[in-house]
């Protein structure tokens, strides 16, 4: 069945201008392990549930030592076992990397594990470099996957709804768990299926989400210059659907608050920025410590990049972060803010979400 209104739209809590959610990159800091990073993810998911954050998404990345989220479905299954209410989802699964049937099976399984609280966010980028994408897809024709995205999306949706027309080559193929079980002898209809979201950092997915009447998530945290044009395009293109009667857009936002005067936030943000410099110059690694970032001799090109990057990271004291989030929501008209806290320390990330929840008066469950 299509997603319900409440499954997509959350209720704002406290003084937050919109629902607040969490995007987790499962970052791995220098001197730490993936096991520790995943334990931090469980801690943050539990905090998000306890404090009334609306949803918790993980993102698909590959061949990046500092990001342990190569398998969103596996991580979401783990988080489902440690939570009861918060919505869980992908922000996102990179559709061209996978056969649509596999994604339908994975997220049908997740929906069976956590009924009524699973989101399927889809992207068309590889989530990695070209060579890794070729290894994932077993082909060097990488543009083909992106160009075929609308067709892949339509196929995935058919598998989720189990409604290929008679005569279609896949009409006798079923994603299980899924709707086919309700039509089998003794079957019972599951009232839910994961709502599909489109993710983007430019105009392509914005327009497609609008035309299809789907909710849209924009990657403001790494494509801030395109945020307002993409949201405008989404809203202008929007056509009501069985999923939504009006546009619904969330934006991913880098935000980090600390208990002090903002000094620690600035140190952590510089470490995360150094990690981005290395990634963008083909040297991906673990997230460096703040001490390593302070000792690094930045050249002029690196400083220009970091100044541009950090200009879109809302960080500092909790009051500064709250003010920055409020201003961003007003500028963009976003229906939901999905916060990602990039820092070397898992404890710093966890504390940031707690501070932001306190600043907005989110409930203590």
């Amino acid at each position: 069945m299509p997603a319900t209104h409440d499954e997509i739209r959350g209720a704002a809590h406290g003084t937050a201008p919109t629902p607040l959610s969490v995007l987790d990159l499962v970052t791995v800091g220098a001197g730490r392990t993936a096991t520790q990073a995943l334990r931090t993810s469980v801690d943050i998911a539990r905090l998000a549930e306890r404090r009334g954050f609306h949803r918790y998404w993980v993102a698909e990345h590959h061949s990046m030592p500092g990001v342990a989220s190569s398998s969103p479905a596996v991580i979401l299954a783990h988080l489902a076992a440690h939570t009861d209410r918060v919505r869980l989802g992908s922000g996102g699964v990179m559709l061209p990397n996978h056969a649509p049937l596999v994604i339908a099976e994975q997220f049908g399984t997740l929906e069976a594990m956590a009924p009524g609280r699973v989101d399927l966010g889809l992207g068309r980028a590889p989530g990695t470099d070209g060579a890794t994408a070729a290894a994932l897809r077993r082909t060097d024709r990488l543009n083909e996957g992106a160009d075929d995205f609308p067709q892949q999306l339509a196929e995935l949706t058919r598998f989720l709804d189990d409604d290929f027309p008679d005569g279609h080559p896949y009409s006798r193929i079923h994603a299980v768990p899924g709707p086919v079980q309700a039509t089998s002898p003794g079957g019972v209809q599951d009232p839910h299926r994961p709502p599909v979201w489109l993710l983007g950092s430019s105009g392509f997915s914005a327009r497609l989400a609008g035309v299809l009447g789907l909710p849209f998530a924009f990657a403001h945290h790494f494509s801030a210059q395109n945020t307002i044009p993409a949201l405008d395009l989404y809203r202008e293109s929007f056509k009501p659907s069985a999923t939504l009667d009006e546009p619904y857009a969330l934006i991913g936002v880098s935000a980090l608050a600390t208990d002090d005067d903002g000094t620690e936030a600035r140190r952590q943000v510089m470490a995360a920025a150094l990690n981005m410099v290395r990634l963008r110059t083909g040297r991906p690694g673990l997230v460096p410590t703040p001490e390593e970032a302070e000792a690094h001799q930045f050249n002029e090109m690196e400083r220009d990049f970091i100044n541009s990057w950090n200009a879109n990271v809302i960080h500092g004291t909790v009051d500064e972060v709250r003010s920055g989030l409020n201003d961003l929501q007003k500028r963009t008209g976003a229906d939901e803010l999905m916060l990602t806290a990039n820092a070397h320390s898992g404890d710093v990330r966890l504390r940031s979400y707690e501070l932001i929840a306190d600043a907005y008066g989110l409930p203590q469950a």
Side-chain angles (χ1 to χ4, degrees):
M1 295 177 64
T4 66
H5 183 86
D6 289 342
E7 284 174 332
I8 294 173
R9 298 179 182 275
H13 297 283
T15 59
T18 67
L20 300 179
S21 294
V22 174
L23 174 64
D24 185 8
L25 303 183
V26 197
T27 50
V28 185
R32 301 177 186 271
T33 66
T35 297
Q36 291 171 310
L38 289 163
R39 286 175 179 164
T40 296
S41 294
V42 170
D43 291 340
I44 296 175
R46 286 172 165 168
L47 182 148
E49 179 167 271
R50 176 169 54 83
R51 296 306 306 270
F53 286 86
H54 184 47
R55 65 185 98 237
Y56 188 104
W57 283 3
V58 295
E60 178 184 345
H61 293 87
H62 299 278
S63 198
M64 298 180 188
V67 180
S69 58
S70 58
S71 302
V74 175
I75 296 171
L76 293 172
H78 182 59
L79 296 177
H82 288 87
T83 57
D84 298 305
R85 300 179 308 278
V86 67
R87 295 196 65 81
L88 301 171
S90 56
V93 165
M94 301 296 107
L95 179 54
N97 291 346
H98 311 277
L101 175 58
V102 171
I103 297 175
E105 291 174 335
Q106 289 175 344
F107 278 77
T109 302
L110 288 168
E111 182 63 43
M113 291 176 173
R117 61 187 186 103
V118 175
D119 298 322
L120 174 51
L122 300 167
R124 62 190 284 264
T128 187
D129 61 273
T132 306
L136 282 165
R137 304 175 191 179
R138 300 181 64 84
T139 178
D140 58 4
R141 295 178 295 175
L142 300 183
N143 289 334
E144 184 177 277
D147 293 343
D148 288 348
F149 184 79
Q151 179 182 338
Q152 292 174 314
L153 174 62
E155 183 178 307
L156 172 57
T157 303
R158 291 282 193 186
F159 278 124
L160 289 170
D161 292 331
D162 197 50
D163 66 352
F164 282 103
D166 292 341
H168 191 281
Y170 296 160
S171 63
R172 297 177 63 84
I173 299 173
H174 310 285
V176 178
V180 67
Q181 292 168 313
T183 61
S184 299
V188 178
Q189 178 66 52
D190 190 321
H192 301 284
R193 82 115 156 107
V196 171
W197 290 66
L198 294 194
L199 281 60
S201 58
S202 63
F204 181 93
S205 291
R207 183 187 297 277
L208 183 60
V211 169
L212 297 177
L214 296 175
F216 178 57
F218 186 81
H220 174 82
H221 56 298
F222 66 80
S223 187
Q225 72 277 9
N226 292 324
T227 302
I228 291 177
L231 294 184
D232 286 346
L233 181 59
Y234 169 60
R235 292 164 182 146
E236 292 164 3
S237 304
F238 187 83
K239 296 180 181 178
S241 68
T243 301
L244 285 174
D245 55 5
E246 58 186 19
Y248 190 87
L250 72 73
I251 58 175
V253 186
S254 287
L256 189 73
T258 52
D259 285 288
D260 60 4
D261 61 359
T263 299
E264 184 59 26
R266 289 187 288 274
R267 295 178 73 242
Q268 294 284 343
V269 164
M270 281 298 292
L274 175 57
N275 188 52
M276 285 304 304
V277 166
R278 291 169 173 170
L279 176 64
R280 294 293 178 91
T281 54
R283 298 170 293 147
L286 302 176
V287 179
T289 65
E291 292 76 17
E292 184 179 351
E294 288 171 341
H296 184 80
Q297 297 296 312
F298 293 94
N299 61 39
E300 184 176 356
M301 183 179 299
E302 290 173 339
R303 287 198 173 278
D304 288 345
F305 173 84
I306 283 177
N307 289 337
S308 175
W309 182 264
N310 284 348
N312 296 305
V313 180
I314 300 173
H315 64 286
T317 67
V318 67
D319 288 338
E320 289 172 332
V321 170
R322 178 177 56 190
S323 177
L325 292 174
N326 290 347
D327 289 345
L328 179 62
Q329 193 280 326
K330 289 176 182 176
R331 285 193 291 110
T332 62
D335 299 293
E336 185 173 335
L337 300 178
M338 178 166 274
L339 313 181
T340 183
N342 292 326
H344 170 267
S345 168
D347 290 340
V348 170
R349 295 171 60 222
L350 189 67
R351 181 59 178 158
S352 178
Y353 289 116
E354 189 85 68
L355 288 170
I356 292 170
D358 288 344
Y360 283 114
L362 299 189
Q364 285 273 10

